[in-house]
């Protein structure tokens, strides 16, 4: 069988063996599931790109067990990297630093920097610690599509494309959207991709642009990304009620203090707070996509720093296919 889902506790031993043999393992992190291989093994990493259908120009994040393992892979471990790692790792923040020769060019899309992260998930940490392998892993979905937050999502996304994949099942991801990515090569941190690491965003204050189109791009970050197969439109509540037609799927926010209405095959309800909303967003998009709706209308969430990453992902999900860069 091309894809196997195994409970993390039962599959750990085999996962570690597979990494050492240059094979692929999908594993849970606190953000989303990753599609991993030994970052030092160029052939193994190349299989990640073919399985995802990912352009070779989009570099990968390397997951490590601790700060010491990160420093080993960094050509230069800057004071900024050191400070951010001490404050936020293990956690949903990825630090871009200069790389060493241990990291092959395929991981970094030919660039001289590498993105590093210590994930805050017991399964990922156990796999990294016990194997001693630095694991290159993008989100475990086909390129441009919605990131997986359960083991079943991984199987749904990659089942037809993977020759041989073990998926460690660690349940649903707590955070639900991808990590904050920060360039730590210079004297001040620069935000490359917003995430749900609110303390970082609050502490970084004005030294880091908070969101919007001015955000410096990571190589390979595309306008259309995190996107379901059907068109997505983000609309203010009033507009949504006016524009909605039969066949549309809808994502709405529960009103604060009120119980969540029953979901239906074409209406998904998300919690009113940003953390709850982020945790449920990708599942809601997937359920509506699978229900065969003709469009997905998303009630525009509130603004504010805690909602930045959510707006970023919704904007990319709503970018039409013709606008792909
Ligand atoms: O939460 C996450 O970050 C998940 C889990 C599995 O850790 N991973 C993830 O990977 O979202 P991926 O490949 O879907 O996104 C990685 C992002 C991309 O936007 C990529 O351009 C950026 O990190 N990136 C990777 N290496 C980089 C580098 N050397 N310089 C700048 N950006 C980089
Ligand atoms: Mg991704």
């Amino acid at each position: 069988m091309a894809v196997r889902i195994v409970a993390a506790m039962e599959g750990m031993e085999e996962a570690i063996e597979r990494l050492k043999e240059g094979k692929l393992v999908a594993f849970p992190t606190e953000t989303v599931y990753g599609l991993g291989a030994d970052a030092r093994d160029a052939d193994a990493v190349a299989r990640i790109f073919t399985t995802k259908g990912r352009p070779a120009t989009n570099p990968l994040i390397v997951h490590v067990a601790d700060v010491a393992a990160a420093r080993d892979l960094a050509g230069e471990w800057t004071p900024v990297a050191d400070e951010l790692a001490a404050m936020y790792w293990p956690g949903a923040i990825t630090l871009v630093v200069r790389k060493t020769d241990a990291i092959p060019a395929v991981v970094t899309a030919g660039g001289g920097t590498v993105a590093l992260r210590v994930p805050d998930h017991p399964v990922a940490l156990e796999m990294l610690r016990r194997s001693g392998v630095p694991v290159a892993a993008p989100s475990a979905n086909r390129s441009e599509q919605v990131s997986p937050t359960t083991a079943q999502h991984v199987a749904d996304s990659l089942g037809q494309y993977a020759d041989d994949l073990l998926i460690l099942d660690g349940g649903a991801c707590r955070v639900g959207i991808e990590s904050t990515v920060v360039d730590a090569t210079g004297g001040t941190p620069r935000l490359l991709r917003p995430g749900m690491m609110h303390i970082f965003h609050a502490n970084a204050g004005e030294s880091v642009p908070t969101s919007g189109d001015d955000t410096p791009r990571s190589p390979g970050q595309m306008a259309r990304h995190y996107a379901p197969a059907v068109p997505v439109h983000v609309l203010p509540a009033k507009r949504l009620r006016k524009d909605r037609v039969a066949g549309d799927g809808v994502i709405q926010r529960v009103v604060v203090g009120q119980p969540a209405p029953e979901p239906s095959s074409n209406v998904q309800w998300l919690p009113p707070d940003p953390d709850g909303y982020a945790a449920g967003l990708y599942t809601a998009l997937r359920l509506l996509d699978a229900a065969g709706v003709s469009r997905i209308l998303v009630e525009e969430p509130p603004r504010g720093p805690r909602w930045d990453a959510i707006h970023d992902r919704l904007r990319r999900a709503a970018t039409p296919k013709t606008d792909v860069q």
Side-chain angles (χ1 to χ4, degrees):
M1 211 162 49
V3 173
R4 267 186 313 137
I5 299 179
V6 179
M9 272 178 18
E10 285 157 32
M12 182 59 69
E13 218 53 69
E14 186 187 350
I16 291 168
E17 275 316 301
R18 288 177 60 91
L19 288 174
K20 291 180 176 168
E21 291 165 1
K23 294 178 178 168
L24 301 185
V25 176
F27 62 97
T29 79
E30 79 278 38
T31 57
V32 300
Y33 274 71
L35 178 64
D38 186 339
R40 302 160 302 186
D41 182 338
D43 293 337
V45 173
R47 280 194 276 280
I48 295 177
F49 282 85
T50 47
T51 304
K52 273 190 68 101
R54 183 178 176 106
T57 48
N58 195 356
L60 306 182
I61 295 173
V62 178
H63 299 74
V64 288
D66 52 32
V67 177
R71 292 183 78 131
D72 280 349
L73 300 175
E76 189 192 358
W77 188 249
T78 60
V80 166
D82 204 46
E83 190 183 331
L84 296 178
M87 287 178 79
Y88 302 116
W89 280 354
I93 188 162
T94 296
L95 303 176
V96 174
V97 295
R98 305 230 154 271
K99 77 175 191 77
T100 56
D101 291 343
I103 300 294
V106 61
V107 172
T108 65
T113 58
V114 63
L116 299 169
R117 175 162 110 83
V118 178
D120 186 14
H121 193 287
V123 172
L125 282 174
E126 185 181 345
M127 188 182 82
L128 294 165
R129 281 185 189 134
R130 278 178 50 193
S131 68
V133 174
V135 175
S139 51
N141 52 282
R142 287 287 286 178
S143 187
E144 287 190 9
Q145 293 178 358
V146 179
S147 292
T149 55
T150 67
Q152 189 57 49
H153 290 170
V154 179
D156 293 344
S157 287
L158 299 179
Q160 317 170 228
Y161 302 96
D163 293 332
D164 171 28
L165 176 64
L166 176 71
I167 305 171
L168 287 184
D169 188 352
C173 301
R174 172 167 53 80
V175 177
I177 68 180
E178 306 80 356
S179 63
T180 301
V181 181
V182 178
D183 178 352
T185 56
T188 49
R190 278 195 326 136
L191 182 67
L192 300 176
R193 177 176 74 181
M196 298 303 288
M197 181 57 95
H198 304 308
I199 359 169
F200 165 77
H201 289 273
N203 287 346
E206 292 187 345
S207 68
V208 166
T210 43
S211 78
D213 297 331
D214 295 339
T215 305
R217 287 279 164 85
S218 274
Q221 274 226 50
M222 286 157 287
R224 177 180 167 82
H225 209 150
Y226 316 107
V230 295
V232 175
H233 302 277
V234 183
L235 302 170
K238 256 193 186 159
R239 221 355 246 295
L240 191 152
R241 280 197 295 275
K242 247 178 63 192
D243 286 10
R244 187 176 174 186
V245 295
D248 283 339
V250 176
I251 295 181
Q252 286 182 275
R253 256 175 88 236
V254 174
V255 178
V256 181
Q258 286 189 14
E262 281 297 310
S264 68
S265 65
N266 56 359
V267 183
Q268 294 293 323
W269 291 91
L270 292 176
D273 64 296
D275 293 320
Y277 191 99
L281 177 60
Y282 288 165
T283 294
L285 288 171
R286 277 171 185 274
L287 286 171
L288 293 176
D289 219 359
V293 300
S294 44
R295 307 184 297 176
I296 298 176
L297 308 184
V298 182
E299 178 191 344
E300 189 174 52
R303 293 281 164 181
R306 285 170 180 262
W307 291 92
D308 272 352
I310 289 164
H311 281 286
D312 174 79
R313 303 309 190 273
L314 285 175
R315 194 163 50 236
R316 292 175 203 280
T319 299
K321 278 190 174 123
T322 48
D323 285 8
V324 174
Q325 295 178 345

